């Protein structure tokens, strides 16, 4: 830990960030890490630094790291391998032949071709076999054609890791990722077949979320160990589409890598993990800055918690530098 001023940050601007975060009412935690030092942290609504928080889709960025490790360990031979090769028993009579074209890369970039999750996730996760039901969904697009965000795509990645390693995704993470990083997944829910939910449902302490950002900023190295290959980090943070100036609040030129969001804020390049409702790990590599937020997790898809948090980052935390 260090004082903000020691790391070149203005205390008054940071105080403003914390004032407005508390005023929002739904922010549960806000951490700022500068130059590798924790310079500020506050918790609200009964949370403390020792309380695990459900981090929703930040889970996907952990899953991305796990796929990179599985690739380097030779468990997965290529991300261009066809997904159905891992699930031969789910092929059925009359299946859309395009399912055979879907690759791991398509899952990593949310381009499998199914509809976005608001329209189909809930019915699928109420069944006893999420994988079977995922392969029964209509393909609205050719695989690779269009970005369509859906947690069922990353759930297939969790199942692939388990089928190839013989470990649950949680056991795989503890062995190869979170264990070496010195952080802990407090709990991780699983589907009826025992596969850890590939797209959400990890519970974790906010500080441990920051460590993932720190490792990615450090190109996969932590505790003097190369936990995730450098090449995988670089590939994961590479844009997968052309953005013609589309913005989302203060996030400009936004994009997607391998289960990481990319973009710019106040002119600075960033990459981030985003869980529904504002569970953020926001990384500004050139500023050596990481911001983690947790917020009210019991919300609907059309919640209005995510943008106000980004506004605080843009107006006060970035301006504090």
């Amino acid at each position: 830990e260090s004082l903000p001023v020691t790391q070149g940050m203005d205390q008054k601007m940071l105080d403003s960030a914390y004032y407005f975060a508390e005023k929002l009412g739904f922010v549960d935690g806000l951490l700022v890490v500068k130059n590798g030092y924790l310079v500020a942290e506050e918790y609200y609504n009964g949370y403390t630094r020792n309380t695990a928080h459900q981090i929703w889709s930040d889970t996907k960025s952990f899953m991305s790291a796990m796929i990179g490790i599985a690739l380097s360990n030779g468990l997965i031979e290529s991300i261009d391998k066809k997904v159905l090769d891992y699930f031969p028993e789910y092929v059925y009579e009359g299946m859309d032949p395009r399912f055979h074209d879907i690759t791991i890369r398509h899952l990593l970039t949310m381009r499998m071709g199914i509809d976005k999750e608001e329209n189909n996730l809930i019915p699928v996760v109420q069944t006893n076999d999420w994988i079977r039901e995922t392969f029964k969904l209509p393909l609205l697009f050719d695989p690779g054609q269009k970005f369509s965000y859906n947690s069922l795509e990353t759930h297939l990645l969790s199942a692939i890791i388990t089928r190839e390693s013989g470990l649950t995704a949680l056991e795989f993470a503890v062995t190869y990722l979170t264990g070496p990083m010195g952080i802990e997944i407090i709990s991780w829910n699983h589907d009826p077949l025992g596969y850890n939910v590939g797209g959400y449902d990890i519970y974790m302490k906010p500080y441990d979320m920051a460590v993932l950002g720190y490792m990615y900023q450090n190109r996969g190295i932590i505790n003097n160990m190369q936990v995730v290959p450098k090449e995988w980090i670089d590939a994961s943070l590479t844009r997968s589409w052309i953005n013609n100036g589309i913005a989302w609040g203060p996030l400009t030129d936004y994009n997607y890598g391998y289960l990481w969001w990319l973009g710019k804020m106040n002119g600075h390049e960033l990459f981030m993990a985003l869980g529904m409702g504002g569970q953020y790990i926001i990384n500004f590599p050139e500023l050596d800055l990481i911001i983690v937020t947790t917020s009210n997790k019991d919300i609907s898809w059309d919640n209005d918690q995510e943008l106000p948090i980004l506004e605080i980052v843009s107006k006060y935390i970035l301006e504090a530098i």
Side-chain angles (χ1 to χ4, degrees):
E1 295 184 25
S2 171
L3 290 169
V5 59
T6 314
Q7 302 307 322
M9 294 190 82
D10 181 293
Q11 183 70 57
K12 279 205 176 77
M13 286 302 267
L14 273 183
D15 289 345
S16 296
Y18 281 90
Y19 169 78
F20 286 108
E22 184 169 21
K23 222 174 137 180
L24 287 174
F26 53 74
V27 176
D28 295 330
L30 172 56
L31 285 70
V32 180
V33 178
K34 178 80 170 99
N35 305 329
Y37 293 96
L38 183 64
V39 294
E41 88 181 299
E42 287 288 340
Y43 300 96
Y44 312 102
N45 303 322
Y47 281 88
T48 70
R49 63 159 43 178
N50 294 317
T51 325
H53 201 287
Q54 188 176 25
I55 61 171
W56 291 121
S57 284
D58 302 64
T59 302
K60 295 179 174 73
S61 300
F62 283 92
M63 184 57 67
S64 176
M66 289 159 62
I67 293 291
I69 293 166
L71 194 64
S72 69
N73 289 354
L75 278 174
I76 291 172
E77 59 199 60
S78 158
I79 61 167
D80 293 312
K81 195 157 160 62
K82 303 286 195 272
V83 170
L84 269 178
D85 289 356
Y86 298 98
F87 304 103
E89 75 273 34
Y90 287 104
V91 176
Y92 56 87
E93 192 75 33
M95 188 180 210
D96 186 327
R98 294 176 297 172
F99 273 107
H100 292 278
D101 300 331
I102 297 163
T103 64
I104 292 174
R105 187 189 303 270
H106 293 144
L107 303 181
L108 290 165
T109 54
M110 294 289 173
R111 287 167 176 268
M112 171 179 173
I114 57 176
D115 200 354
K116 59 183 191 213
E117 61 183 37
E118 292 91 310
N119 297 333
N120 55 27
L121 180 70
I122 302 301
V124 169
V125 300
Q126 287 171 339
T127 69
N128 62 3
D129 190 335
W130 301 4
I131 295 168
R132 178 192 68 215
E133 296 306 315
T134 298
F135 287 127
K136 287 186 174 169
L137 291 171
L139 292 179
L140 303 190
F141 319 104
D142 291 341
Q145 180 191 344
K146 191 170 188 288
F147 176 86
S148 183
Y149 187 91
N150 194 311
S151 297
L152 296 169
E153 304 188 41
T154 42
H155 191 59
L156 294 175
L157 295 174
S158 172
I160 287 170
I161 280 178
T162 297
R163 288 183 167 216
E164 291 305 289
S165 69
L167 304 171
T168 65
L170 177 56
E171 291 164 343
F172 189 90
V174 170
T175 307
Y176 297 106
L177 179 65
T178 53
M181 286 169 67
I183 67 172
E184 192 183 357
I185 293 172
I186 306 295
S187 79
W188 189 353
N189 289 325
H190 57 78
D191 75 4
L193 298 178
Y195 297 116
N196 292 112
V197 182
Y200 53 93
D201 254 351
I202 279 180
Y203 287 75
M204 183 177 272
K205 294 173 193 168
Y207 181 80
D208 285 0
M209 295 164 67
V211 177
L212 182 71
Y214 176 79
M215 178 184 62
Y216 266 68
Q217 285 204 21
N218 214 19
R219 295 194 68 212
I221 297 171
I222 198 159
N223 306 329
N224 298 316
M225 280 172 63
Q226 186 80 48
V227 176
V228 179
K230 283 190 181 71
E231 307 75 37
W232 183 256
I233 303 262
D234 293 344
S236 300
L237 305 180
T238 300
R239 296 162 173 261
S240 57
W241 72 61
I242 304 293
N243 180 319
N244 296 317
I246 306 166
W248 183 51
L251 180 70
T252 58
D253 200 26
Y254 70 84
N255 218 290
Y256 205 68
Y258 295 160
L259 307 179
W260 284 92
W261 291 97
L262 312 171
K264 283 184 184 150
M265 197 182 289
N266 299 22
H268 302 289
E269 292 277 348
L270 68 84
F271 62 93
M272 69 181 186
L274 162 58
M276 187 163 73
Q279 332 304 327
Y280 281 110
I281 309 169
I282 309 175
N283 306 271
F284 293 93
E286 68 214 44
L287 301 175
D288 202 347
L289 177 70
I290 302 164
I291 297 142
V292 168
T293 66
T294 53
S295 61
N296 175 23
K297 60 187 176 48
D298 303 314
I299 33 119
S300 61
W301 265 296
D302 53 1
N303 72 87
D304 50 9
Q305 297 180 178
E306 291 159 16
L307 275 179
I309 294 173
L310 292 185
E311 298 286 356
I312 288 173
V313 173
S314 169
K315 283 182 191 155
Y316 305 104
I317 300 178
L318 288 177
E319 294 299 321
I321 295 175

